[in-house]
């Protein structure tokens, strides 16, 4: 789980992904960003998934959510609504 900044993964996560051993781990990728169109989340997810696979892990799901705007925390109800719509579509 990580934020997307300036349409990219955050540097701290990139450093972690290079060193982590995901052997035997099943990973779900979840990102948050401020843009409602979720721009570039697919690219970020692909990059994270490649790093997980390179370190012998298995990606079992990817989710992109809208979080808070710059300088603001995402409200709990905003996150809950997105999770609910994913679990209970329609």
């Amino acid at each position: 789980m990580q934020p997307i900044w300036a349409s990219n993964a955050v540097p701290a996560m990139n450093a972690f992904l290079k060193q982590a051993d995901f052997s035997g781990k099943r990973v779900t990728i979840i990102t948050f960003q401020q843009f409602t169109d979720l721009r570039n989340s697919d690219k970020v997810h692909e990059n994270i998934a490649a790093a997980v696979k390179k370190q012998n892990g298995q990606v079992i799901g990817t989710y992109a959510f809208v979080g808070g705007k710059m300088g603001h925390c995402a409200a709990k109800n905003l996150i809950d609504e997105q999770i609910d719509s994913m679990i209970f579509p329609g």
Side-chain angles (χ1 to χ4, degrees):
M1 187 175 294
Q2 70 160 47
I4 293 178
W5 291 347
S7 300
N8 292 295
V10 294
M13 182 56 82
N14 292 333
F16 168 77
L17 290 169
K18 288 179 184 175
Q19 298 178 16
D21 179 7
F22 291 103
S23 297
K25 304 289 191 234
R26 295 167 33 131
V27 176
T28 300
I29 299 166
I30 302 171
T31 55
F32 292 89
Q33 65 192 98
Q34 72 174 347
F35 302 113
T36 57
D37 64 1
L38 301 171
R39 72 180 73 149
N40 290 330
S41 60
D42 54 343
K43 179 186 80 160
V44 172
H45 290 182
E46 289 171 9
N47 291 338
I48 295 170
V52 169
K53 291 173 188 172
K54 183 176 181 180
Q55 299 290 26
N56 305 308
Q58 176 188 9
V59 175
I60 60 170
T62 61
Y63 302 96
F65 294 118
V66 177
K69 299 286 184 191
M70 289 277 287
H72 296 93
C73 184
K76 181 182 180 316
N77 64 330
L78 172 66
I79 303 303
D80 287 347
E81 289 171 7
Q82 292 176 87
I83 292 170
D84 286 348
S85 70
M86 177 186 66
I87 296 171
F88 309 109

